[in-house]
Each structure stands twice: as structure tokens, then as C-alpha cells.
């Protein structure tokens, strides 16, 4: 099972690699392997995570065989499992980046949208193309595109079933960065290393603040600031960084992740 997706480590950066050739299709086995790899990532003490894929495509999308004969009752359980996978990525307490090349469809696109950021190759193409089987995205893709790009863009992307180039989705604020194909992995990893060298607890707090804004609005996030941010003042990273700033000036602090 773990061969279809695996966890690797590069210093404080973890990497979940999708490797289920030829198309990295999302079926029950790949989904289970991803859950296993994410579990390893959670317990590894890493401080940032990159999700990438081997092969010519990030993913050709969902394995349509899964839907053949699927009853509404079985579909309910299936959707719950998919959403649990997306939530697991979103709830990780460190920064996450999807590093996307080639084609990125349906469930793989939705997995990317669960990450904090998406970095994509110039040649990458994205689509939520579930209309080809008469479905709507099941893993939260519609709502996460709406969250990033607004409801009109989400309706267009999903209802058209089209393929969208990375450049367009960067302009829509769905994607953070678009890079030359041959530079994508190196630059994504370099940025992940920068994030991993930062204050881990503060990054986790930032994730919670952003989530609060999206769920509860600006004033709702304001109301949660004490709960979210005040524990940072007990962290060794904040105490040490304040001392470093006062004694050596800005930019010299070293963060240990606690």
C-alpha cells in the first residue's frame, strides 16, 4: 500500500510523494496510502510539508472504476473518507505546499487545495472535471476554489469542466506561484526549507487565524486572537527571538520549533 504514496524527509521538511504510475489515479488504495504517509508526516517532528508526485502528471484524477455501481449510501461513506483526507491535510500544524506539475485533475487538485499553498509548473493544467461522469467535486474542490477565487470563478471552473493553465489560476488567486518546469521542485523545496526554519508555533497560529477569518469573519478572528496567539509568549522560539532582536538586531534569531 505504501508504495503508491510514501513519506520522505529532508531535514525539517517532510515530503509526501504520490507514486502510482502511470496516472497516479485516486482510488481506494492510493487514498489509503496517502493517509498512511500523512500519518508518518504528523509523527515525524517535521516543520513543513511538500506534497508532490512522480511521473509525467501530478494526477489524472479519480479512478472512475470507484463510481461504477456506487449507491447513494456507499457514496456517503466514500465522500466522508475523501473529506477526511482533505481535512487531515488542512489541520496539519505546520505549513504545507502542493508542488504540482503536468496534469492535476479532480481529487488531486482537491488535495492540493487543502494545502496552505500551491506552487505549479508553467506547463501544469488543472481541472475539476467531474461533470464528465455527471458528478460534482466530492472532496471539497468547489468550496475551496470559491474560498480562494470567489463564487463566480468556482462556478465557472466546475460547471465548464475545462482545463485551466497554471497562469490563469495564479491570476485567480487559486495558485500562489508559477515557475519554470525545471525549477519547480528545487524552488519549492527551498521555500519549504525557509518555512521549516521559521517559528513553527507561530506558523501554526497563523494557520488558525486565517481559518478563523474564513469561518467567522474578521471580527470573529479578532475575538480568538488571545486564545490563538498568547501561548506563543511562553515559547522558547519567541523568547529567544526577542532577546536576539534586542541584542543583535533583526534577522539573526534561530528557531528550534518549540
Amino acid at each position: 500500500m505504501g508504495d503508491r504514496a510514501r513519506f520522505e524527509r529532508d531535514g525539517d521538511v517532510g515530503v509526501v510523494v504520490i507514486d502510482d504510475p502511470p496516472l497516479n489515479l485516486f482510488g481506494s488504495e492510493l487514498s489509503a496510502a496517502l493517509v498512511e504517509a500523512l500519518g508518518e508526516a504528523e509523527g515525524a517532528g517535521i516543520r513543513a510539508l511538500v506534497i508532490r508526485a512522480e511521473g509525467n502528471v501530478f494526477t489524472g484524477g479519480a479512478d472512475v472504476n470507484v463510481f461504477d455501481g456506487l449507491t447513494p449510501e456507499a457514496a456517503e461513506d466514500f465522500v466522508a473518507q475523501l473529506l477526511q483526507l482533505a481535512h487531515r491535510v488542512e489541520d496539519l500544524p505546520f505549513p504545507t505546499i502542493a508542488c504540482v506539475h503536468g496534469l492535476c485533475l479532480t481529487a488531486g487538485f482537491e488535495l492540493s487545495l487543502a494545502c496552505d499553498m500551491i506552487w505549479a509548473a508553467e506547463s501544469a493544467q488543472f481541472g475539476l472535471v467531474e461533470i464528465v461522469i455527471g458528478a460534482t467535486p466530492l472532496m471539497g474542490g468547489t468550496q475551496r476554489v470559491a474560498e480562494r477565487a470567489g463564487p463566480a470563478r468556482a462556478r465557472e471552473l466546475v460547471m465548464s469542466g475545462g482545463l485551466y493553465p497554471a497562469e490563469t489560476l495564479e491570476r485567480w488567486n487559486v495558485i500562489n506561484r508559477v515557475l519554470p518546469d525545471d525549477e519547480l521542485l528545487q524552488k519549492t523545496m527551498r521555500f519549504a526549507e525557509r518555512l521549516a526554519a521559521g517559528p513553527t508555533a507561530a506558523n501554526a497560529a497563523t494557520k488558525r487565524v486565517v481559518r478563523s477569518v474564513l469561518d467567522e469573519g474578521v471580527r470573529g478572528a479578532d475575538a480568538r486572537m488571545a486564545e490563538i496567539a498568547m501561548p506563543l509568549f511562553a515559547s522558547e522560539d519567541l523568547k529567544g527571538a526577542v532577546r536576539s532582536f534586542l541584542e543583535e538586531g533583526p534577522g539573526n534569531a534561530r528557531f528550534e520549533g518549540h
Side-chain angles (χ1 to χ4, degrees):
M1 181 188 300
D3 292 339
R4 298 174 188 268
R6 63 183 181 271
F7 172 73
E8 299 175 349
R9 182 168 187 154
D10 185 350
D12 286 328
V13 177
V15 185
V16 168
V17 183
I18 300 168
D19 190 4
D20 193 5
L23 293 175
N24 295 326
L25 294 179
F26 276 66
S28 57
E29 292 181 326
L30 176 55
S31 297
L34 280 167
V35 169
E36 184 178 314
L38 289 168
E40 289 186 56
E42 285 181 280
I46 59 172
R47 297 165 63 186
L49 180 71
V50 171
I51 298 179
R52 68 173 187 85
E54 295 282 4
N56 294 325
V57 301
F58 187 86
T59 175
D63 183 351
V64 178
N65 287 298
V66 172
F67 301 100
D68 189 25
L70 196 65
T71 65
E73 294 75 20
E76 184 175 359
D77 292 337
F78 180 61
V79 170
Q81 291 170 7
L82 291 175
L83 289 172
Q84 186 177 30
L85 179 58
H87 295 166
R88 189 161 191 176
V89 173
E90 284 182 328
D91 292 342
L92 289 170
F94 39 73
T96 56
I97 308 174
C99 176
V100 179
H101 72 284
L103 199 60
C104 183
L105 301 180
T106 65
F109 188 8
E110 292 173 290
L111 180 69
S112 300
L113 289 164
C115 292
D116 296 317
M117 302 167 226
I118 302 174
W119 286 38
E122 287 177 338
S123 65
Q125 292 187 299
F126 296 78
L128 295 174
V129 298
E130 284 84 352
I131 63 167
V132 299
I133 62 164
T136 193
L138 303 175
M139 195 173 161
T142 306
Q143 49 268 45
R144 284 166 179 79
V145 171
E147 184 177 86
R148 293 174 182 233
R153 294 297 194 191
R155 286 190 286 264
E156 175 187 341
L157 194 150
V158 175
M159 291 179 182
S160 72
L163 295 181
Y164 288 78
E167 181 183 6
T168 297
L169 295 189
E170 182 188 35
R171 191 171 68 248
W172 288 8
N173 294 322
V174 174
I175 290 173
N176 294 76
R177 303 280 180 91
V178 178
L179 297 166
D181 290 32
D182 60 354
E183 298 178 9
L184 174 66
L185 181 57
Q186 179 185 16
K187 289 192 173 181
T188 302
M189 290 299 295
R190 189 181 305 159
F191 188 73
E193 289 163 4
R194 174 182 167 186
L195 295 175
T200 305
N203 285 335
T206 297
K207 291 180 66 152
R208 291 182 63 195
V209 172
V210 173
R211 187 75 261 156
S212 294
V213 171
L214 295 170
D215 291 345
E216 307 167 52
V218 172
R219 289 297 181 94
D222 289 348
R224 289 170 56 83
M225 283 307 300
E227 170 196 340
I228 295 171
M230 294 312 100
L232 298 176
F233 290 88
S235 71
E236 293 302 317
D237 274 350
L238 187 148
K239 293 175 185 176
V242 169
R243 287 194 300 269
S244 174
F245 185 98
L246 294 174
E247 295 169 6
E248 305 173 65
N252 293 298
R254 294 181 64 86
F255 300 104
E256 302 297 330
H258 49 74

